[in-house]
């Protein structure tokens, strides 16, 4: 049975998800912030700014009106970056099908949201703004899934998580194909924490990778073994924070939404957060910014969006709130806040493991 679907956000991942669903024959509309992107998708069937080299289905319709994109759709997938997600959702409250709870909603954005009571998980925050129909019914979709590979048909696995099993399965069937495997989960909190925190670890991984492969490691301390040590310690931090924030299934962190997503985000050449970490060392990309808040307020100057930068700020607050020891995440916060240098962080991190 074919469905009507709206995707909000025409970045690489949003465009890829829209492409996958449209190729299955569903009627898909994608909302674009930039008119130029919408025109390119409609006329040339490409999105070369965010997903270069990929041909999109001619049936995929791009719009710049959010209301028109979402109205009367059976499914809505939110793919807007975390820094802008809450404001986007607030604009949806006037849409009839959202106001009446007729549209099933899933989120593919990774990160935490800033609220008046501090950093919070995405679904918790959105439930506070959306009509009551959506409480415990939103779906979170995540997994090791670089858009560039999914768009090219590389076999990929995703998790569709919700406290409402029926909705998790509905989105599972909407997305799944011969090359896109989708598994249902009830551990909404665990998968959200894993999805957000792995981006922080990936920035740290990129920093180490740049130091290891460049001329910065004067003592030749760092190698592949050291990177695996960092990755394993990072997974432990994800598990610690996930448990503190209410994860219901410990195996979430040993699944594709935990170790799987962490591994690909750290090691893949497509990873923006790994790239950002490398450029902190190789290009001194933090030099123009006074501190982390200044970086986040001017994040567009980076040229791409490393979600882990915002997550680092929020994880530091959460670690203090729950009294957790998270040396990688808090150390990365100090780097981004220009309190310590990258090499100092790595040396301190390894010393604390002794």
């Amino acid at each position: 049975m074919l469905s009507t679907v709206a995707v909000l956000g025409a970045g690489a991942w949003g465009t890829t998800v829209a492409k996958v669903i449209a190729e299955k024959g569903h009627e898909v509309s994608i909302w674009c912030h930039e008119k130029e992107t919408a025109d390119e998708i409609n006329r040339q069937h490409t999105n070369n700014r965010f997903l270069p080299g990929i041909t999109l289905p001619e049936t995929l319709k791009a719009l710049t009106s959010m209301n028109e994109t979402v109205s009367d759709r059976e499914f809505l997938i939110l793919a807007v970056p975390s820094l802008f997600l809450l404001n986007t959702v607030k604009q949806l409250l006037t849409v009839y099908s959202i106001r009446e709870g007729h549209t099933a909603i899933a989120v593919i954005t990774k990160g935490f949201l800033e609220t008046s009571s501090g950093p919070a998980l995405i679904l918790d925050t959105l439930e506070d703004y959306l009509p009551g129909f959506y409480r415990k019914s939103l779906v979170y979709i995540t997994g090791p899934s670089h858009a560039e590979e999914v768009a090219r048909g590389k076999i990929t696995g995703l998790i569709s998580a919700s406290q409402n099993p029926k909705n998790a399965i509905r989105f599972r069937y909407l997305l799944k194909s011969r090359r896109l495997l989708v598994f249902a989960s009830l551990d909404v909190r665990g998968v959200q924490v894993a999805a957000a925190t792995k981006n922080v670890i990936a920035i740290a991984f990129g920093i180490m990778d740049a130091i290891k492969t460049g001329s910065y490691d004067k003592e030749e301390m760092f190698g592949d073994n050291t990177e695996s040590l960092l990755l394993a310690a990072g997974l432990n931090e994800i598990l610690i924070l996930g448990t503190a924030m209410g994860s219901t299934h410990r195996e979430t962190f040993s699944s594709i939404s935990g170790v799987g997503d962490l591994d690909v985000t750290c090691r893949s050449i497509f990873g923006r957060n790994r790239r950002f970490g490398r450029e902190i060392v190789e290009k001194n990309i933090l030099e123009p910014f006074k501190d982390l808040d200044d970086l986040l307020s001017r994040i567009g100057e980076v040229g791409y969006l490393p979600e882990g930068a915002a997550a680092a700020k929020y994880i530091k607050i959460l670690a203090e709130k729950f009294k957790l020891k998270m040396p990688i995440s808090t150390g990365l916060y100090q780097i981004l806040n220009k309190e310590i240098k990258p090499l100092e962080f790595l040396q301190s991190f390894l010393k604390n493991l002794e």
Side-chain angles (χ1 to χ4, degrees):
M1 181 177 177
L2 300 181
S3 301
T4 55
V5 183
V7 177
L8 292 190
W13 190 216
T15 303
T16 295
V17 169
K19 173 184 184 288
V20 168
I21 298 172
E23 286 175 339
K24 295 178 65 178
H26 300 291
E27 182 184 320
V28 184
S29 297
I30 185 168
W31 173 77
C32 307
H33 184 262
E34 302 88 357
K35 183 178 185 300
E36 296 80 6
T37 301
D39 288 343
E40 182 186 344
I41 292 173
N42 289 330
R43 295 171 184 171
Q44 301 173 21
H45 312 297
T46 58
N47 184 353
N48 283 316
R49 177 180 176 186
F50 297 106
L51 197 64
I54 298 296
T55 301
L56 303 174
E58 294 185 11
T59 56
L60 177 61
K61 183 179 181 182
L63 301 166
T64 55
S65 166
M66 195 178 298
N67 281 13
E68 187 180 349
T69 306
V70 176
S71 290
D72 299 321
R73 296 275 147 169
E74 295 173 65
F75 294 94
L76 167 62
I77 297 174
L78 298 170
V80 178
S82 62
L83 290 171
F84 315 110
L85 181 59
L86 192 52
N87 284 336
T88 300
V89 169
K90 289 177 181 178
Q91 295 178 58
L92 296 176
L93 299 180
T94 59
V95 178
Y96 176 80
S97 55
I98 299 295
R99 196 169 65 241
E100 297 300 316
H102 297 324
T103 301
I105 300 177
V107 181
I108 60 175
T109 302
K110 297 177 179 180
F112 298 96
L113 296 184
E114 188 169 7
T115 71
S116 58
S117 56
L121 295 173
I122 287 176
L123 297 197
D124 287 352
T125 308
L126 298 190
E127 284 180 356
D128 287 340
Y129 285 88
L130 289 165
F133 307 105
Y134 291 103
R135 191 160 297 278
K136 296 185 178 182
S137 290
L138 298 177
V139 178
Y140 194 78
I141 298 168
T142 185
S145 51
H146 282 301
E148 296 83 354
E149 289 199 351
V150 177
R152 288 177 169 83
K154 305 295 185 183
I155 295 173
T156 301
L158 294 175
I159 295 289
S160 174
S162 179
Q163 290 177 276
N164 182 325
K166 180 180 177 181
N167 279 358
I169 292 171
R170 288 178 71 194
F171 275 97
R172 176 192 176 199
Y173 282 108
L174 180 69
L175 284 163
K176 80 180 188 75
S177 66
R178 187 169 60 90
R179 296 192 179 186
L180 187 59
L181 313 176
V182 187
F183 307 91
S185 171
L186 296 174
D187 189 9
V188 179
R189 291 179 172 274
V191 298
Q192 287 182 87
V193 172
T197 310
K198 57 94 181 182
N199 286 331
V200 176
I201 307 303
I203 296 177
F205 190 96
I207 288 172
M208 179 180 284
D209 193 50
I211 291 174
K212 181 192 78 168
T213 57
S215 59
Y216 315 96
D217 186 7
K218 306 299 183 184
E219 299 181 48
E220 298 185 351
M221 297 170 58
F222 307 123
D224 293 346
N225 296 343
T226 329
E227 288 186 337
S228 289
L229 177 63
L230 178 70
L231 191 146
L235 180 62
N236 188 55
E237 291 193 12
I238 293 172
L239 188 153
I240 288 170
L241 182 58
T243 301
M245 297 192 74
S247 169
T248 56
H249 295 71
R250 194 175 180 88
E251 58 268 28
T252 291
F253 306 103
S254 59
S255 76
I256 57 173
S257 62
V259 67
D261 203 3
L262 175 64
D263 178 71
V264 78
T265 305
C266 287
R267 297 191 187 278
S268 174
I269 60 171
F270 297 119
R272 292 189 304 272
N273 291 282
R274 176 193 173 181
R275 172 186 172 186
F276 185 63
R278 289 189 61 91
E279 291 185 349
I280 288 173
V281 175
E282 296 173 336
K283 297 185 178 180
N284 196 19
I285 200 169
L286 297 179
E287 196 276 333
F289 306 104
K290 182 177 67 174
D291 53 24
L292 179 52
D293 285 335
D294 187 35
L295 168 65
L296 295 177
S297 68
R298 299 160 55 197
I299 198 69
E301 296 177 25
V302 173
Y304 57 93
L305 183 60
E307 290 272 14
K313 174 181 177 179
Y314 300 140
I315 289 172
K316 178 180 182 291
I317 296 170
L318 291 167
E320 291 172 350
K321 174 183 176 180
F322 293 112
K323 297 180 172 58
L324 305 176
K325 185 177 180 181
M326 300 181 66
I328 300 175
S329 301
T330 53
L332 182 69
Y333 167 86
Q334 291 177 303
I335 292 174
L336 299 180
N337 207 41
K338 306 186 83 168
E339 298 173 20
I340 61 173
K341 299 291 186 183
L343 192 55
E344 291 177 65
F345 154 68
L346 290 175
Q347 290 170 335
S348 174
F349 162 68
L350 293 171
K351 185 177 180 180
N352 287 333
L353 291 178
E354 295 177 357

